[in-house]
Amino acid sequence: MFKNFKTDWMSNVRGDLLAGIVVALALIPEAIAFSIIAGVDPKIGLYASFSISVVIAFTGGRSGMISAATGAMALLMVTLVKEHGLEYLLAVTVLTGVLQILAGYLKLGSLMRFVSRSVVTGFVNALAILIFMAQLPELTNVTWHVYAMTAAGLGIIYLFPYLPVIGKLIPSPLVCIIVLTAISMSFNIDIRTVGDMGNLPDTLPIFLWPDVPLNLETLLIILPYSIGLAVVGLLESMMTATIVDDLTDTSSDKNRECKGQGLANIFTGFLGGMAGCAMIGQSMINIKSGGRGRLSTLSAGVFLLIMVVFLGPWLKQIPMAALVAVMIMVSIGTFSWSSITDLRKHPISTNIVMLATVIIVVMTHNLAIGVLVGVLLASLFFANKISRMMVIKNNSDAHKSREYTVIGQVFFASSDKFITSFDFKEVIESVTIDLSAAHFWDVTSVSALDKVVVKFRREGTQVELIGMNQATQTIVDKFGVHDKPEEVEKLLAGH
């Protein structure tokens, strides 16, 4: 336990603290923007980002990952806030947390193993595109000063690390924000700043019990929203954890992350914040700024609260161009550029899954829908591929008998092919079906086997099944009907 404490909290103190400052600065406009999307006061998103970051630092399953208020979650809250108000949003946030903890105990985080690499790549690329698109409003219908400041910010971000000694000590995104803020204030440049995004809170959050009636009617109102938020939040968090795993070449505990996200949202609901989840953009900023441990996540939340409550007048002076430069850097770094050249090398099915995930996410701005579509397509392509690998060989001898050897996987996608591979009209006395190299997976495949046996017997041919493995024998004994006369009669009547 002590070893984990040292690794998670004390192995990278300077890097984690500096990265936490950068992340906190980048979280402020995002939290305000997401609050506006949800239709609530900016402090709701800011309090949520503080609370979620602090709690998840202790309870989460992935070190160095940043969780806060997110746009994907905010979009699901709009109707609830309009129809029922803020108090119901707080109640939804608490219930969302409860459902996520339940998901953790049910080990639903383990379902990430069913998400293919092509889906993850599509998710990453779509997110990079969305991050870049989110910066466009700050770069349209503006003066040349904004473009100059953004270009200067990108120059600092990419060139500062090459400076001897100091370039490795301070995260370049932090230098970008400090330098551009100093230039903007010194020359009194008239450009959009953080203060223009909305009012910053000037008090600490306090414990709030959601002021909603505790009855069945309230539960029926908040449950559908909570389920949607829980699913989207966990899906985005699990995908982000997978990406951070790859970036840092370390592993994460997905089920612990589910529970951690749940606890974070419960605390957030009681502190007057909106539900949130992991953020790929801020997580990328954290990793690229040198953050690796839980201390970076904790410091991001703590610095965020200190900045907005106690350093508001200074914070308001930060030009949005500086934060736009940071987010463009994140967008460029997030996009998997190798996936473009891989289009020529990878199978067409893999490319379709990746591109479909990108297109759906970008069009709907809903990460959950895009990932679910990608997983569905990947599953269909996989099932089709496995079904094509099933073959049936046949041999005959002089005694008017035939032996069929089934090789491969028999399941719902290959059942029709299994049936049509037999010649039921051939006049023979007996048929032997060798299943030693086959595996039957579901009720559909067992039903197909029943049909084959019954059709042969209907033509007066004796049928013998040999070589079943234990798993196939079990499912055939449980669901098969070819050796049960009364069930065979029903099957024949069906034809």
Side-chain angles (χ1 to χ4, degrees):
M1 185 71 181
F2 181 70
K3 180 180 178 181
N4 290 336
F5 173 80
K6 289 183 66 176
T7 302
D8 290 344
W9 293 94
M10 307 305 294
S11 61
N12 184 40
V13 175
R14 182 186 59 82
D16 286 347
L17 290 175
L18 290 174
I21 295 174
V22 180
V23 172
L25 291 169
L27 277 174
I28 294 167
E30 297 266 301
I32 295 174
F34 299 149
S35 298
I36 295 171
I37 290 174
V40 296
D41 190 274
K43 69 180 181 182
I44 304 301
L46 291 166
Y47 286 161
S49 295
F50 152 72
S51 173
I52 294 172
S53 294
V54 170
V55 175
I56 205 70
F58 295 96
T59 63
R62 169 69 261 178
S63 299
M65 188 167 74
I66 303 300
S67 296
T70 65
M73 302 283 269
L75 287 170
L76 299 179
M77 305 172 186
V78 177
T79 304
L80 174 70
V81 173
K82 285 183 178 178
E83 295 182 357
H84 301 284
L86 175 62
E87 295 298 330
Y88 278 83
L89 174 59
L90 302 182
V92 162
T93 299
V94 173
L95 182 56
T96 296
V98 173
L99 295 177
Q100 290 177 327
I101 292 175
L102 179 62
Y105 279 107
L106 293 176
K107 300 189 182 302
L108 297 186
S110 302
L111 295 177
M112 274 302 297
R113 68 182 186 274
F114 295 109
V115 179
S116 68
R117 176 56 51 184
S118 53
V119 175
V120 174
T121 302
F123 172 84
V124 168
N125 289 346
L127 217 45
I129 294 171
L130 289 178
I131 290 171
F132 181 79
M133 290 174 60
Q135 312 313 310
L136 296 181
E138 299 293 337
L139 297 173
T140 53
N141 299 319
V142 294
T143 63
W144 66 269
H145 305 88
V146 175
Y147 299 113
M149 293 281 276
T150 303
L154 289 170
I156 293 172
I157 289 171
Y158 287 108
L159 297 178
F160 183 80
Y162 291 102
L163 293 179
V165 184
I166 192 173
K168 302 297 182 182
L169 293 177
I170 306 175
S172 60
L174 178 59
V175 177
C176 164
I177 294 171
I178 294 174
V179 170
L180 293 191
T181 302
I183 292 174
S184 175
M185 294 175 65
S186 299
F187 293 94
N188 196 26
I189 301 175
D190 185 19
I191 59 175
R192 186 172 165 85
T193 64
V194 170
D196 297 323
M197 292 287 294
N199 295 324
L200 300 179
D202 55 6
T203 59
L204 296 173
I206 58 174
F207 181 86
L208 294 171
W209 184 269
D211 186 16
V212 297
L214 298 178
N215 53 37
L216 180 60
E217 182 181 357
T218 299
L219 178 62
L220 294 177
I221 291 173
I222 66 175
L223 183 59
Y225 291 100
S226 297
I227 293 174
L229 288 168
V231 171
V232 171
L234 290 182
L235 186 55
E236 188 165 352
S237 298
M238 296 303 100
M239 295 294 289
T240 303
T242 300
I243 295 166
V244 177
D245 289 351
D246 291 343
L247 285 172
T248 59
D249 195 25
T250 56
S251 61
S252 60
D253 186 338
K254 304 295 191 302
N255 293 313
R256 179 181 174 182
E257 184 64 31
C258 291
K259 300 172 189 175
Q261 292 287 336
L263 286 170
N265 278 318
I266 289 174
F267 274 93
T268 298
F270 288 134
L271 287 179
M274 56 200 277
C277 61
M279 305 180 74
I280 179 62
Q282 273 62 28
S283 297
M284 290 290 292
I285 292 175
N286 190 44
I287 298 301
K288 290 183 178 296
S289 298
R292 290 294 184 274
R294 295 181 181 274
L295 183 60
S296 63
T297 307
L298 174 64
S299 61
V302 172
F303 285 139
L304 171 65
L305 186 66
I306 292 173
M307 288 176 183
V308 298
V309 174
F310 301 106
L311 302 177
W314 290 94
L315 206 61
K316 292 178 180 179
Q317 303 300 318
I318 297 176
M320 288 300 298
L323 299 176
V324 167
V326 172
M327 297 310 295
I328 290 177
M329 176 271 292
V330 170
S331 176
I332 294 172
T334 301
F335 195 89
S336 176
W337 298 99
S338 62
S339 64
I340 297 177
T341 56
D342 287 343
L343 288 173
R344 302 177 65 179
K345 297 184 293 184
H346 287 172
I348 188 169
S349 59
T350 299
N351 294 334
I352 289 174
V353 170
M354 190 272 287
L355 292 174
T357 304
V358 172
I359 292 170
I360 297 297
V361 171
V362 172
M363 287 182 61
T364 64
H365 287 224
N366 191 315
L367 303 173
I369 294 177
V371 171
L372 290 174
V373 169
V375 170
L376 177 60
L377 285 175
S379 301
L380 291 175
F381 283 129
F382 176 76
N384 181 61
K385 181 178 180 180
I386 296 300
S387 68
R388 290 173 179 266
M389 295 175 67
M390 187 204 72
V391 295
I392 298 180
K393 300 178 180 179
N394 64 80
N395 298 293
S396 61
D397 58 30
H399 299 91
K400 300 293 288 181
S401 66
R402 183 172 294 280
E403 178 177 316
Y404 290 91
T405 302
V406 183
I407 303 173
Q409 313 302 312
V410 188
F411 60 114
F412 63 89
S414 59
S415 294
D416 287 342
K417 180 181 177 182
F418 175 79
I419 295 173
T420 57
S421 297
F422 296 91
D423 184 0
F424 301 108
K425 299 301 181 181
E426 183 180 20
V427 181
I428 49 177
E429 296 177 0
S430 64
V431 164
T432 300
I433 303 177
D434 184 357
L435 303 176
S436 57
H439 192 106
F440 285 68
W441 288 97
D442 55 13
V443 175
T444 305
S445 61
V446 175
S447 177
L449 180 62
D450 287 335
K451 288 181 180 179
V452 168
V453 173
V454 170
K455 283 187 176 183
F456 273 124
R457 288 176 178 170
R458 191 169 53 189
E459 298 297 329
T461 303
Q462 294 182 350
V463 182
E464 181 183 9
L465 303 177
I466 63 173
M468 285 190 197
N469 59 40
Q470 186 61 47
T472 297
Q473 185 71 61
T474 300
I475 192 172
V476 169
D477 288 344
K478 185 173 183 179
F479 299 107
V481 301
H482 60 267
D483 55 351
K484 301 168 184 167
E486 65 281 3
E487 297 294 336
V488 171
E489 290 298 326
K490 294 179 182 179
L491 189 61
L492 289 172
H495 289 279

